[in-house]
Amino acid sequence: PFSMRTVVTGFGPFGTVADNPSARLARDCGAEFRILEVAYDAIDDALREIGPVDRLLLMGVAAGRFRPRLETVAPAWRRSPAT
């Protein structure tokens, strides 16, 4: 049978977000998951460690937002001095 590898990620704590809900959602979703460090330089290493996947869902939290939203590009990454 054909099987697809799905990995779901969430992020650890950062700033005023001590208990990041994205980490809880990733952990409880029933799929393979990883909790990522909130640091630009950590993401490339984490994605290399995850390796090839068929589907990858990266979840985060937007502090101060009250509704879910879909991002196709990380706006904060575009504003980062590291880019």
Side-chain angles (χ1 to χ4, degrees), residues 5-6 9 35 40 42-43 51 55 64 66-67 80:
R5 181 175 180 221
T6 301
T9 70
I35 306 304
Y40 292 109
I43 300 303
R55 295 177 292 205
F66 298 102
R67 289 188 282 182
S80 165

Side-chain angles (χ1 to χ4, degrees), residues 1-78:
F2 181 72
S3 152
M4 296 180 81
R5 181 175 180 221
T6 301
V7 178
V8 178
T9 70
F11 287 93
F14 73 99
T16 61
V17 181
D19 183 22
N20 195 323
S22 70
R24 284 184 278 135
L25 287 169
R27 190 176 297 115
D28 295 343
C29 75
E32 180 181 348
F33 73 93
R34 298 286 190 287
I35 306 304
L36 306 178
E37 177 186 352
V38 181
Y40 292 109
D41 58 351
I43 300 303
D44 286 339
D45 290 340
L47 292 176
R48 271 191 292 279
E49 179 186 310
I50 290 170
V53 297
D54 298 295
R55 295 177 292 205
L56 178 63
L57 175 61
L58 294 98
M59 296 187 294
V61 64
R65 304 273 181 176
F66 298 102
R67 289 188 282 182
R69 68 182 201 173
L70 180 63
E71 293 180 355
T72 56
V73 175
W77 178 79
R78 286 196 232 169

